Amino acid sequence: MVAISATDSQATGKTGIVTAKDLSGKLAILADAAKYDASCASSGSRRESRGGLGSTEGMGICHSYTPDGRCVSLLKILLTNYCVFDCQYCVNRISSDTPRARFSVNEVVRLTMDFYRRNYIEGLFLSSGIIQSSDYTMEQMLDVARTLRERESFRGYIHLKTIPGASDDLIHQAGTYADRLSVNIELPTEADLKRLAPEKKRPELEQSMNQIKVKRDEHVRDQKAGFKHAGKFVPAGQSTQMIVGATDTSDRQILDTSSHLYQTHAMRRVYYSAFSPIPHADSRLPGKSPPLVREHRLYQADWLIRFYGFDAAELTTAESANLDLQMDPKLAWALRHRDRFPVDVNLAEREMLLRVPGIGSRGVKRILQTRRHHQIRDEDLAAMGIVYKKARPFLITADRNAGPLSLDSPSLQRQFRPPQRQLHLFDDDPSADDGTSSRLEVLP
């Protein structure tokens, strides 16, 4: 049995008994506790393997996903699931009666190296509850990263969650060892935080994000200026995560927050995690998770904002502040702006082609290359990777004009909706959760 220190016991309000008796027991608890964190992608790192063990690139790395689609290719664990905070949506909050455990620094290092040598993982994703203080917890996590890099010569991917309120110096040191740092924004709005996690302050969270951005900018400038001492600082950038569906905050507000974070703090990614009900939860929390398709639609909208030139405000309306769950955001936008279509595939600007449903960025690139040589006909679209059925009503080609009649047709929107099915009495259907009745509608 592992006993926590008297100081930790005081900080956590517990009596010093840890339920996990051995390393595997602690691993079971702390890996399970980390499953709620969605921000574990390893994209963006270029750390070389030369002179050490492991790599963030190349072959031979194991990848696997949980049934709900979350990435587990990294060893994704918490240092501890004790926490002095009492965030109502978190299973690890101080008032929770969940089994507790805590790794030592050397235990995390040992697990990482053993799993990497067995090709189970490609790196480490380490987060933690807050024990004693933000600086104390951050020091523990920093020790893990430092030991892996300096003692074990580990060159694999390391993603550290930054503890809100940790000192500037600790964040700076962590950034020199980690490929990515992240600070969870937790909930979409400041009002949501005040309601469910009053101990966490939005300005403090954004201050930590800003510290990372400023230091990363400094390192990038020094590297461009040729200063060899500049080294690396979070080469994969920073990311954040917000919980969706714990409050009634609309998708419009969620996307506004994401846009702000991308523009202000140069986020590499904003991750959306559908709220998961927890035992003995606060009565202000919903009893069920939101439909997972909502999380999916938010990721699609996020992608449109980052790579397709959409503004967050374009993807929803004042009348309907949530994304349509039955069709992707780009198609829904096109159907609301039929006056801007059809566009001529042989003449349209790149920016407008990116807004045509069924055409991705690669498809636009192929269109621009192909039309330098000849006029694009209907039969060419599928060969260029265009989703013909979806794009057809919105495009004019050299041999076909979709014409205004098809775009004005009332049935156009219905033809893109998924087929209806008859529900059974005990179906656990998402429409039962969100109150929509659209699946019960009769198809024309």
Side-chain angles (χ1 to χ4, degrees), residues 109-121:
V109 171
R110 175 184 154 196
L111 281 171
T112 305
M113 298 306 297
D114 286 352
F115 281 16
Y116 194 90
R117 290 190 174 103
R118 293 180 178 129
N119 204 27
Y120 292 167
I121 59 168

Side-chain angles (χ1 to χ4, degrees), residues 369-442:
Q369 290 173 340
T370 304
R371 72 187 192 186
R372 292 177 190 163
H373 305 287
H374 65 81
Q375 291 280 295
I376 296 174
R377 302 171 65 85
D378 232 29
E379 63 187 14
D380 298 325
L381 294 177
M384 288 189 287
I386 310 301
V387 182
Y388 180 73
K389 183 178 178 182
K390 189 180 285 189
R392 188 176 186 278
F394 302 95
L395 282 180
I396 296 172
T397 57
D399 58 340
R400 183 183 59 79
N401 187 341
L405 291 179
S406 61
L407 277 172
D408 290 340
S409 169
S411 65
L412 182 61
Q413 185 162 339
R414 287 199 294 271
Q415 83 179 50
F416 289 113
R417 293 196 177 278
Q420 310 298 306
R421 66 183 179 86
Q422 178 63 52
L423 293 178
H424 298 289
L425 183 59
F426 300 105
D427 265 359
D428 183 19
D429 191 87
S431 62
D433 298 340
D434 59 22
T436 60
S437 58
S438 53
R439 292 197 176 195
L440 300 175
E441 292 175 355
V442 180

Side-chain angles (χ1 to χ4, degrees), residues 311-371:
D311 187 84
E314 293 182 276
L315 297 172
T316 56
T317 64
E319 296 75 28
S320 181
N322 289 316
L323 298 169
D324 191 326
L325 298 184
Q326 295 195 344
M327 66 175 64
D328 70 74
K330 189 160 92 168
L331 177 59
W333 176 87
L335 290 170
R336 287 197 304 270
H337 297 83
R338 299 185 198 194
D339 56 307
R340 300 179 66 169
F341 298 98
V343 299
D344 191 327
V345 72
N346 289 296
L347 298 174
E349 300 286 337
R350 177 179 181 276
E351 290 72 21
M352 193 60 212
L353 288 172
L354 281 171
R355 291 179 173 246
V356 177
I359 303 182
S361 57
R362 288 184 182 178
V364 170
K365 186 176 180 181
R366 289 174 186 142
I367 288 172
L368 297 176
Q369 290 173 340
T370 304
R371 72 187 192 186

